Amino acid sequence: MPGAHWNPETYLQFADERGRPFLDLMSRVQATAPRRVVDLGCGPGPLTAGLATRWPQASIVGIDASPAMIDQALERAGDRIHFELGDLRAWVPAEPVDVLISNATLQWVPDHLDLLPAWVDALAPDGWLAIQVPGNFDQPSHRLLYDLAAGPRFAAATEGLERPSTPDASTYLDHLATRGLEVDAWETTYLHVLPGPDTVFLWMTGTGAGPFLQALSDEQRAIVETEYRALLQDAY
């Protein structure tokens, strides 16, 4: 969510699990020698920086709207790896992009389908656009949180917050195919086994629950965290 205060340490607690969709997505990108690779919504940067090994001649740029995430990512910067603070809604490339990536970000951007035509236009000839978005918003981890946030005790504090959401894969296929792209669209279900107490709660505080918890007062947050933990333990 643009403007939210993300915690990179919390996010990276489950780095392997969070990285799997990115790696699966990039396995389908067959660019052989791209010159310019851009990752919009790069987060703390380890996955973005890893692309430099795959494409040793490429300039890699990661952009994120979270200062905390970019501060963490800058520790991985180098001669060919650059990170910048920026809002992907306002992103305009200085030159055509050979590989344009957005992983687990667009769900926080309302009407993000409207961005896709400009992103397609930003591609170099034979360029690649790789997008991954979660589609688990009907799962207990999310439904229980939204129900709590919308309840009468907390509705005033959380009113106006955008809920993350995405259309289905066929909608992305249609939008991109009409722009002249050859589209490969698919859905994958990941069943992560997270050992230890309150791990689903910890997972959610690193992503979807963060903006909602930040909108609450300290007293409200303590109540929500206690109740949300209990609900998640019952659900999982």
Side-chain angles (χ1 to χ4, degrees):
M1 176 181 293
H5 300 287
W6 300 106
N7 186 317
E9 287 76 20
T10 303
Y11 183 86
L12 289 171
Q13 281 185 292
F14 303 101
D16 288 346
E17 291 85 357
R18 296 195 196 283
R20 281 187 60 190
F22 180 92
L23 298 176
D24 288 348
L25 175 69
M26 298 313 298
S27 72
R28 300 293 297 163
V29 176
Q30 301 302 310
T32 55
R35 293 189 310 108
R36 183 169 172 80
V37 177
V38 177
D39 185 0
L40 297 175
C42 63
L47 297 172
T48 311
L51 297 175
T53 302
R54 176 176 178 178
W55 292 308
Q57 304 303 317
S59 171
I60 313 290
V61 178
I63 299 171
D64 202 281
S66 166
M69 289 293 195
I70 289 296
D71 286 346
Q72 183 89 7
L74 286 172
E75 297 177 6
R76 299 175 171 86
D79 291 342
R80 294 188 298 107
I81 307 169
H82 309 279
F83 293 98
E84 304 171 5
L85 183 67
D87 189 332
L88 61 80
R89 295 170 296 184
W91 174 75
V92 178
E95 58 183 292
V97 177
D98 298 294
V99 180
L100 178 57
I101 306 159
S102 181
N103 176 66
T105 299
L106 286 176
Q107 70 273 15
W108 291 110
V109 182
D111 301 320
H112 62 258
L113 291 174
D114 294 340
L115 297 174
L116 298 184
W119 289 11
V120 172
D121 291 343
L123 296 175
D126 297 322
W128 291 76
L129 174 63
I131 295 171
Q132 188 276 130
V133 292
N136 59 345
F137 304 117
D138 62 343
Q139 295 300 303
S141 54
H142 291 75
R143 286 191 289 102
L144 293 169
L145 174 66
Y146 301 154
D147 289 346
L148 267 177
R153 293 173 296 168
F154 312 113
T158 62
E159 184 180 7
L161 286 179
E162 292 285 351
R163 291 188 182 185
S165 63
T166 55
D168 59 21
S170 63
T171 300
Y172 290 99
L173 188 154
D174 291 342
H175 270 71
L176 294 171
T178 59
R179 301 294 301 179
L181 270 66
E182 180 180 339
V183 183
D184 181 11
W186 72 95
E187 295 182 67
T188 301
T189 299
Y190 297 93
L191 301 177
H192 299 305
V193 179
L194 306 177
D198 288 330
T199 47
V200 179
F201 174 81
L202 291 173
W203 175 287
M204 288 297 294
T205 58
T207 51
F212 293 94
L213 294 174
Q214 292 165 25
L216 303 172
S217 68
D218 291 344
E219 181 180 359
Q220 289 174 322
R221 189 178 306 113
I223 295 171
V224 168
E225 288 183 353
T226 298
E227 295 184 10
Y228 187 39
R229 286 175 190 264
L231 291 168
L232 289 174
Q233 287 172 355
D234 288 342
Y236 292 94

